[in-house]
């Protein structure tokens, strides 16, 4: 039988925007917060979306989603909206549930019931022979993707919108039958279809970005006034100096919004000891300024659990975004098998000297 444990952490958590940081005041709570924060609501909505969907922050009140509907003929992009209040109400029963993992799974599967369709964005359809049709108001345009990207008309494609703004849309086209750089194609277009730009691969994208051809779509790409996140979320372009920076994503964990780098966070298992998070611009600058420093002591964790464990055999980040981190830990049994698993949920906020760790097993791995 698989036994799951709630985790008590006796670790030093140091958070600061500089290397000379002071220890934080920690508190621990078994279960989930009595009220979900905006960052937690975003995670719940993100995790609950149907396959081939992308969440977009809309405003202070809620989220907009784009969903590639493969069941429709022709396949198309559908758009939905859900208010933060609806997300909170939908997941309210999770907080006091006796079996949070099971209840979490039930609620995520039923999340589409609170996704309301909207029609304020262009119609996007993928028809026969990979003909992409775009409509907005009385404007309509078509793109023969096979010809434009040197693909076959019969290739299986997945269309998504990784980035969406009030004015523009960034389309990502994934060819599941292709390989290498020819696997992806990009289309940037204005919401009213008055302008668009087709990019063949990431190298072409970088070239077009560097020479200013994509300036009209900066609102889709910029992390701040100086840096742009290149498709794939592994490289940053410095607009000012026209240089590209590798975020070393095979080793480091990049936050979903591209604003933070967890040094060594993408390794097979998080090591025991100190972990450091940097703002992306500090990482690029080679600075030793850290947004956060985390001390993980697995020996103390095992002692607090009061279990017979041979140590942690798996530890990784399952969610990392601005404001929220979720970890997964699995403990080896001292005899055989697994001694237990848990998720650790904590928020990164401006008040980084008073942190609460919510310790609950949602089954996230």
């Amino acid at each position: 039988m698989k036994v799951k444990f709630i985790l008590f952490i006796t670790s030093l958590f140091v958070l600061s925007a500089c290397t000379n940081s002071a220890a934080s005041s920690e508190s621990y709570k078994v279960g989930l917060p009595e009220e979900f924060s905006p960052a937690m609501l975003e995670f719940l909505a993100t995790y609950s979306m149907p396959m081939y969907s992308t969440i977009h922050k809309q405003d202070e009140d809620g989220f907009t989603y784009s969903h590639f509907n493969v069941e429709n003929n022709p396949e198309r992009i559908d758009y939905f909206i859900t208010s933060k209040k609806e997300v909170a109400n939908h997941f309210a029963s999770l907080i006091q549930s006796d079996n949070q993992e099971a209840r979490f799974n039930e609620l995520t599967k039923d999340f589409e019931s609170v996704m309301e369709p909207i029609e304020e964005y262009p119609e996007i359809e993928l028809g026969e022979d990979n003909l992409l049709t775009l409509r907005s108001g009385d404007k309509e345009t078509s793109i023969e993707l096979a010809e434009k990207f040197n693909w076959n008309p019969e290739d299986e494609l997945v269309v998504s919108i990784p980035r969406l703004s009030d004015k523009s849309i960034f389309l990502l086209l994934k060819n599941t039958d292709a390989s290498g750089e020819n696997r992806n194609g990009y289309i940037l277009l204005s919401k009213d279809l008055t302008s668009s730009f087709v990019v063949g691969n990431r190298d072409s994208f970088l070239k077009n970005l560097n020479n200013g051809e994509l300036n009209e779509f900066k609102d889709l790409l910029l992390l701040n006034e100086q840096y742009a996140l290149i498709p794939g979320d592994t490289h940053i372009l410095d607009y000012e100096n026209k240089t590209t920076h590798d975020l070393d994503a095979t080793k480091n964990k990049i936050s979903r919004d591209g604003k933070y780098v967890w040094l060594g966070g993408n390794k097979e298992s998080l090591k025991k000891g100190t972990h450091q998070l940097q703002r992306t611009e500090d990482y690029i600058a080679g600075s030793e300024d850290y947004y956060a420093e985390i001390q993980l002591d697995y020996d103390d964790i095992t002692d607090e659990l009061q279990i017979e464990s041979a140590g942690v055999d798996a530890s990784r980040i399952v969610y990392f975004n601005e404001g929220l981190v979720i970890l997964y830990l699995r403990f080896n049994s001292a005899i055989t098998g697994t001694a237990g698993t848990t998720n650790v949920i904590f928020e990164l906020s401006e008040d980084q000297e008073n942190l609460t760790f919510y310790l609950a097993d949602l089954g996230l791995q």
Side-chain angles (χ1 to χ4, degrees), residues 202-232:
R202 196 177 70 173
D203 288 341
S204 298
F205 189 97
L206 182 57
K207 179 181 178 181
N208 298 138
L209 192 59
N210 257 319
N211 62 25
E213 292 181 85
L214 302 181
N215 284 348
E216 180 181 354
F217 304 105
K218 275 187 176 182
D219 58 325
L220 294 172
L221 308 172
L222 289 180
L223 293 175
N224 52 42
E225 293 182 357
Q226 184 173 357
Y227 298 114
L229 188 61
I230 299 170

mmCIF file of all heavy atoms in Angstrom, residues 202-232:
data_model
loop_
_atom_site.group_PDB
_atom_site.id
_atom_site.type_symbol
_atom_site.label_atom_id
_atom_site.label_comp_id
_atom_site.label_asym_id
_atom_site.label_seq_id
_atom_site.Cartn_x
_atom_site.Cartn_y
_atom_site.Cartn_z
ATOM 1 N N ARG A 202 13.287 29.238 -34.999
ATOM 2 C CA ARG A 202 13.769 30.113 -33.936
ATOM 3 C C ARG A 202 14.918 30.999 -34.393
ATOM 4 O O ARG A 202 15.032 32.166 -33.971
ATOM 5 C CB ARG A 202 14.195 29.291 -32.725
ATOM 6 C CG ARG A 202 14.330 30.140 -31.461
ATOM 7 C CD ARG A 202 14.681 29.322 -30.271
ATOM 8 N NE ARG A 202 16.043 28.805 -30.346
ATOM 9 C CZ ARG A 202 16.647 28.156 -29.360
ATOM 10 N NH1 ARG A 202 15.990 27.898 -28.255
ATOM 11 N NH2 ARG A 202 17.879 27.725 -29.481
ATOM 12 N N ASP A 203 15.806 30.483 -35.261
ATOM 13 C CA ASP A 203 16.899 31.314 -35.763
ATOM 14 C C ASP A 203 16.362 32.494 -36.563
ATOM 15 O O ASP A 203 16.847 33.626 -36.433
ATOM 16 C CB ASP A 203 17.842 30.478 -36.630
ATOM 17 C CG ASP A 203 18.675 29.513 -35.808
ATOM 18 O OD1 ASP A 203 18.792 29.737 -34.591
ATOM 19 O OD2 ASP A 203 19.196 28.539 -36.384
ATOM 20 N N SER A 204 15.369 32.229 -37.413
ATOM 21 C CA SER A 204 14.741 33.313 -38.181
ATOM 22 C C SER A 204 14.050 34.290 -37.238
ATOM 23 O O SER A 204 14.093 35.511 -37.442
ATOM 24 C CB SER A 204 13.725 32.742 -39.167
ATOM 25 O OG SER A 204 14.342 31.888 -40.096
ATOM 26 N N PHE A 205 13.421 33.738 -36.200
ATOM 27 C CA PHE A 205 12.737 34.586 -35.220
ATOM 28 C C PHE A 205 13.722 35.546 -34.573
ATOM 29 O O PHE A 205 13.454 36.747 -34.447
ATOM 30 C CB PHE A 205 12.068 33.703 -34.172
ATOM 31 C CG PHE A 205 11.158 34.441 -33.236
ATOM 32 C CD1 PHE A 205 9.799 34.481 -33.470
ATOM 33 C CD2 PHE A 205 11.659 35.110 -32.131
ATOM 34 C CE1 PHE A 205 8.960 35.170 -32.606
ATOM 35 C CE2 PHE A 205 10.836 35.798 -31.273
ATOM 36 C CZ PHE A 205 9.467 35.823 -31.514
ATOM 37 N N LEU A 206 14.862 35.016 -34.172
ATOM 38 C CA LEU A 206 15.866 35.847 -33.517
ATOM 39 C C LEU A 206 16.389 36.917 -34.465
ATOM 40 O O LEU A 206 16.575 38.078 -34.066
ATOM 41 C CB LEU A 206 17.012 34.969 -33.020
ATOM 42 C CG LEU A 206 18.136 35.663 -32.259
ATOM 43 C CD1 LEU A 206 17.596 36.400 -31.055
ATOM 44 C CD2 LEU A 206 19.195 34.645 -31.832
ATOM 45 N N LYS A 207 16.617 36.553 -35.718
ATOM 46 C CA LYS A 207 17.086 37.509 -36.712
ATOM 47 C C LYS A 207 16.066 38.622 -36.913
ATOM 48 O O LYS A 207 16.418 39.815 -36.929
ATOM 49 C CB LYS A 207 17.359 36.790 -38.035
ATOM 50 C CG LYS A 207 17.827 37.705 -39.146
ATOM 51 C CD LYS A 207 18.056 36.931 -40.440
ATOM 52 C CE LYS A 207 18.470 37.848 -41.586
ATOM 53 N NZ LYS A 207 18.663 37.076 -42.856
ATOM 54 N N ASN A 208 14.799 38.263 -37.064
ATOM 55 C CA ASN A 208 13.745 39.263 -37.256
ATOM 56 C C ASN A 208 13.587 40.149 -36.029
ATOM 57 O O ASN A 208 13.307 41.347 -36.150
ATOM 58 C CB ASN A 208 12.415 38.571 -37.559
ATOM 59 C CG ASN A 208 12.443 37.749 -38.834
ATOM 60 O OD1 ASN A 208 11.918 36.638 -38.881
ATOM 61 N ND2 ASN A 208 13.067 38.281 -39.890
ATOM 62 N N LEU A 209 13.758 39.556 -34.860
ATOM 63 C CA LEU A 209 13.649 40.313 -33.620
ATOM 64 C C LEU A 209 14.789 41.311 -33.506
ATOM 65 O O LEU A 209 14.592 42.476 -33.128
ATOM 66 C CB LEU A 209 13.663 39.342 -32.437
ATOM 67 C CG LEU A 209 13.280 39.866 -31.058
ATOM 68 C CD1 LEU A 209 11.875 40.433 -31.056
ATOM 69 C CD2 LEU A 209 13.384 38.742 -30.032
ATOM 70 N N ASN A 210 15.990 40.872 -33.857
ATOM 71 C CA ASN A 210 17.176 41.726 -33.779
ATOM 72 C C ASN A 210 17.111 42.919 -34.725
ATOM 73 O O ASN A 210 17.538 44.032 -34.382
ATOM 74 C CB ASN A 210 18.426 40.903 -34.088
ATOM 75 C CG ASN A 210 19.201 40.540 -32.832
ATOM 76 O OD1 ASN A 210 19.355 41.351 -31.933
ATOM 77 N ND2 ASN A 210 19.683 39.313 -32.777
ATOM 78 N N ASN A 211 16.605 42.704 -35.933
ATOM 79 C CA ASN A 211 16.610 43.791 -36.914
ATOM 80 C C ASN A 211 15.375 44.692 -36.829
ATOM 81 O O ASN A 211 15.185 45.575 -37.672
ATOM 82 C CB ASN A 211 16.771 43.244 -38.339
ATOM 83 C CG ASN A 211 15.622 42.337 -38.766
ATOM 84 O OD1 ASN A 211 14.512 42.436 -38.267
ATOM 85 N ND2 ASN A 211 15.910 41.438 -39.699
ATOM 86 N N GLY A 212 14.536 44.450 -35.830
ATOM 87 C CA GLY A 212 13.419 45.352 -35.586
ATOM 88 C C GLY A 212 12.144 45.042 -36.342
ATOM 89 O O GLY A 212 11.153 45.763 -36.196
ATOM 90 N N GLU A 213 12.119 43.944 -37.108
ATOM 91 C CA GLU A 213 10.929 43.625 -37.885
ATOM 92 C C GLU A 213 9.742 43.214 -37.016
ATOM 93 O O GLU A 213 8.599 43.242 -37.475
ATOM 94 C CB GLU A 213 11.242 42.512 -38.889
ATOM 95 C CG GLU A 213 12.191 42.936 -39.993
ATOM 96 C CD GLU A 213 12.444 41.807 -40.987
ATOM 97 O OE1 GLU A 213 11.635 41.664 -41.919
ATOM 98 O OE2 GLU A 213 13.432 41.068 -40.820
ATOM 99 N N LEU A 214 10.009 42.839 -35.766
ATOM 100 C CA LEU A 214 8.940 42.409 -34.877
ATOM 101 C C LEU A 214 8.595 43.455 -33.820
ATOM 102 O O LEU A 214 7.910 43.160 -32.844
ATOM 103 C CB LEU A 214 9.335 41.093 -34.190
ATOM 104 C CG LEU A 214 9.651 39.919 -35.116
ATOM 105 C CD1 LEU A 214 9.989 38.676 -34.304
ATOM 106 C CD2 LEU A 214 8.492 39.625 -36.057
ATOM 107 N N ASN A 215 9.067 44.686 -34.027
ATOM 108 C CA ASN A 215 8.830 45.730 -33.035
ATOM 109 C C ASN A 215 7.350 45.967 -32.761
ATOM 110 O O ASN A 215 6.954 46.328 -31.651
ATOM 111 C CB ASN A 215 9.482 47.040 -33.470
ATOM 112 C CG ASN A 215 10.993 47.038 -33.267
ATOM 113 O OD1 ASN A 215 11.530 46.150 -32.593
ATOM 114 N ND2 ASN A 215 11.679 47.998 -33.848
ATOM 115 N N GLU A 216 6.525 45.749 -33.777
ATOM 116 C CA GLU A 216 5.085 45.953 -33.610
ATOM 117 C C GLU A 216 4.486 44.992 -32.581
ATOM 118 O O GLU A 216 3.451 45.266 -31.992
ATOM 119 C CB GLU A 216 4.385 45.757 -34.956
ATOM 120 C CG GLU A 216 2.881 45.942 -34.905
ATOM 121 C CD GLU A 216 2.227 45.724 -36.258
ATOM 122 O OE1 GLU A 216 2.968 45.548 -37.260
ATOM 123 O OE2 GLU A 216 0.991 45.721 -36.319
ATOM 124 N N PHE A 217 5.192 43.883 -32.338
ATOM 125 C CA PHE A 217 4.653 42.852 -31.455
ATOM 126 C C PHE A 217 5.446 42.737 -30.153
ATOM 127 O O PHE A 217 5.441 41.696 -29.504
ATOM 128 C CB PHE A 217 4.653 41.506 -32.194
ATOM 129 C CG PHE A 217 3.900 41.528 -33.486
ATOM 130 C CD1 PHE A 217 4.581 41.555 -34.702
ATOM 131 C CD2 PHE A 217 2.513 41.556 -33.503
ATOM 132 C CE1 PHE A 217 3.894 41.588 -35.902
ATOM 133 C CE2 PHE A 217 1.815 41.582 -34.704
ATOM 134 C CZ PHE A 217 2.498 41.601 -35.906
ATOM 135 N N LYS A 218 6.119 43.810 -29.786
ATOM 136 C CA LYS A 218 6.921 43.794 -28.572
ATOM 137 C C LYS A 218 6.096 43.456 -27.330
ATOM 138 O O LYS A 218 6.599 42.861 -26.373
ATOM 139 C CB LYS A 218 7.611 45.149 -28.365
ATOM 140 C CG LYS A 218 8.920 45.312 -29.105
ATOM 141 C CD LYS A 218 9.590 46.617 -28.701
ATOM 142 C CE LYS A 218 10.957 46.768 -29.350
ATOM 143 N NZ LYS A 218 11.628 48.018 -28.921
ATOM 144 N N ASP A 219 4.828 43.836 -27.336
ATOM 145 C CA ASP A 219 3.988 43.577 -26.170
ATOM 146 C C ASP A 219 3.826 42.085 -25.907
ATOM 147 O O ASP A 219 3.475 41.675 -24.804
ATOM 148 C CB ASP A 219 2.628 44.242 -26.323
ATOM 149 C CG ASP A 219 1.885 43.770 -27.563
ATOM 150 O OD1 ASP A 219 2.538 43.504 -28.577
ATOM 151 O OD2 ASP A 219 0.635 43.686 -27.508
ATOM 152 N N LEU A 220 4.088 41.255 -26.917
ATOM 153 C CA LEU A 220 4.006 39.808 -26.746
ATOM 154 C C LEU A 220 5.306 39.205 -26.238
ATOM 155 O O LEU A 220 5.317 38.080 -25.742
ATOM 156 C CB LEU A 220 3.670 39.133 -28.090
ATOM 157 C CG LEU A 220 2.306 39.406 -28.694
ATOM 158 C CD1 LEU A 220 2.237 38.830 -30.096
ATOM 159 C CD2 LEU A 220 1.196 38.832 -27.820
ATOM 160 N N LEU A 221 6.405 39.928 -26.372
ATOM 161 C CA LEU A 221 7.723 39.333 -26.196
ATOM 162 C C LEU A 221 8.517 39.867 -25.024
ATOM 163 O O LEU A 221 9.362 39.157 -24.465
ATOM 164 C CB LEU A 221 8.551 39.534 -27.476
ATOM 165 C CG LEU A 221 7.880 39.087 -28.788
ATOM 166 C CD1 LEU A 221 8.721 39.531 -29.976
ATOM 167 C CD2 LEU A 221 7.687 37.581 -28.797
ATOM 168 N N LEU A 222 8.292 41.107 -24.640
ATOM 169 C CA LEU A 222 9.163 41.750 -23.663
ATOM 170 C C LEU A 222 8.882 41.299 -22.238
ATOM 171 O O LEU A 222 7.726 41.218 -21.801
ATOM 172 C CB LEU A 222 9.003 43.269 -23.742
ATOM 173 C CG LEU A 222 9.583 43.957 -24.986
ATOM 174 C CD1 LEU A 222 9.347 45.451 -24.902
ATOM 175 C CD2 LEU A 222 11.073 43.669 -25.121
ATOM 176 N N LEU A 223 9.959 40.984 -21.501
ATOM 177 C CA LEU A 223 9.865 40.776 -20.066
ATOM 178 C C LEU A 223 9.882 42.113 -19.345
ATOM 179 O O LEU A 223 9.234 42.303 -18.326
ATOM 180 C CB LEU A 223 11.040 39.920 -19.579
ATOM 181 C CG LEU A 223 11.081 38.462 -20.046
ATOM 182 C CD1 LEU A 223 12.358 37.805 -19.567
ATOM 183 C CD2 LEU A 223 9.869 37.711 -19.543
ATOM 184 N N ASN A 224 10.673 43.030 -19.877
ATOM 185 C CA ASN A 224 10.739 44.406 -19.385
ATOM 186 C C ASN A 224 11.214 45.269 -20.551
ATOM 187 O O ASN A 224 11.198 44.827 -21.696
ATOM 188 C CB ASN A 224 11.677 44.516 -18.169
ATOM 189 C CG ASN A 224 13.045 43.915 -18.444
ATOM 190 O OD1 ASN A 224 13.617 44.098 -19.525
ATOM 191 N ND2 ASN A 224 13.586 43.199 -17.471
ATOM 192 N N GLU A 225 11.613 46.477 -20.303
ATOM 193 C CA GLU A 225 11.977 47.387 -21.386
ATOM 194 C C GLU A 225 13.237 46.952 -22.134
ATOM 195 O O GLU A 225 13.468 47.383 -23.262
ATOM 196 C CB GLU A 225 12.176 48.805 -20.833
ATOM 197 C CG GLU A 225 10.886 49.440 -20.321
ATOM 198 C CD GLU A 225 11.115 50.856 -19.840
ATOM 199 O OE1 GLU A 225 12.284 51.299 -19.852
ATOM 200 O OE2 GLU A 225 10.137 51.507 -19.435
ATOM 201 N N GLN A 226 14.032 46.082 -21.533
ATOM 202 C CA GLN A 226 15.321 45.711 -22.142
ATOM 203 C C GLN A 226 15.354 44.300 -22.710
ATOM 204 O O GLN A 226 15.989 44.047 -23.728
ATOM 205 C CB GLN A 226 16.446 45.850 -21.113
ATOM 206 C CG GLN A 226 17.840 45.582 -21.693
ATOM 207 C CD GLN A 226 18.940 45.905 -20.698
ATOM 208 O OE1 GLN A 226 18.684 46.379 -19.608
ATOM 209 N NE2 GLN A 226 20.182 45.654 -21.082
ATOM 210 N N TYR A 227 14.658 43.368 -22.075
ATOM 211 C CA TYR A 227 14.811 41.962 -22.435
ATOM 212 C C TYR A 227 13.552 41.363 -23.042
ATOM 213 O O TYR A 227 12.432 41.674 -22.626
ATOM 214 C CB TYR A 227 15.193 41.141 -21.197
ATOM 215 C CG TYR A 227 16.512 41.544 -20.591
ATOM 216 C CD1 TYR A 227 16.568 42.114 -19.318
ATOM 217 C CD2 TYR A 227 17.712 41.354 -21.278
ATOM 218 C CE1 TYR A 227 17.782 42.478 -18.751
ATOM 219 C CE2 TYR A 227 18.926 41.721 -20.724
ATOM 220 C CZ TYR A 227 18.958 42.278 -19.461
ATOM 221 O OH TYR A 227 20.155 42.645 -18.904
ATOM 222 N N ALA A 228 13.767 40.465 -24.022
ATOM 223 C CA ALA A 228 12.679 39.724 -24.653
ATOM 224 C C ALA A 228 12.930 38.239 -24.483
ATOM 225 O O ALA A 228 14.063 37.763 -24.602
ATOM 226 C CB ALA A 228 12.570 40.072 -26.139
ATOM 227 N N LEU A 229 11.856 37.487 -24.211
ATOM 228 C CA LEU A 229 11.945 36.048 -24.061
ATOM 229 C C LEU A 229 11.720 35.399 -25.417
ATOM 230 O O LEU A 229 10.672 35.557 -26.045
ATOM 231 C CB LEU A 229 10.903 35.558 -23.064
ATOM 232 C CG LEU A 229 10.962 34.091 -22.642
ATOM 233 C CD1 LEU A 229 12.301 33.786 -21.962
ATOM 234 C CD2 LEU A 229 9.807 33.763 -21.702
ATOM 235 N N ILE A 230 12.713 34.655 -25.886
ATOM 236 C CA ILE A 230 12.666 34.036 -27.202
ATOM 237 C C ILE A 230 11.857 32.742 -27.117
ATOM 238 O O ILE A 230 11.893 32.052 -26.093
ATOM 239 C CB ILE A 230 14.099 33.747 -27.698
ATOM 240 C CG1 ILE A 230 14.874 35.067 -27.803
ATOM 241 C CG2 ILE A 230 14.102 33.032 -29.040
ATOM 242 C CD1 ILE A 230 16.351 34.890 -28.051
ATOM 243 N N PRO A 231 11.093 32.380 -28.152
ATOM 244 C CA PRO A 231 10.309 31.135 -28.134
ATOM 245 C C PRO A 231 11.156 29.941 -27.702
ATOM 246 O O PRO A 231 12.301 29.787 -28.112
ATOM 247 C CB PRO A 231 9.862 30.997 -29.591
ATOM 248 C CG PRO A 231 9.761 32.391 -30.074
ATOM 249 C CD PRO A 231 10.883 33.130 -29.410
ATOM 250 N N GLY A 232 10.545 29.107 -26.898
ATOM 251 C CA GLY A 232 11.265 27.996 -26.292
ATOM 252 C C GLY A 232 11.609 28.288 -24.845
ATOM 253 O O GLY A 232 11.901 27.384 -24.061
#
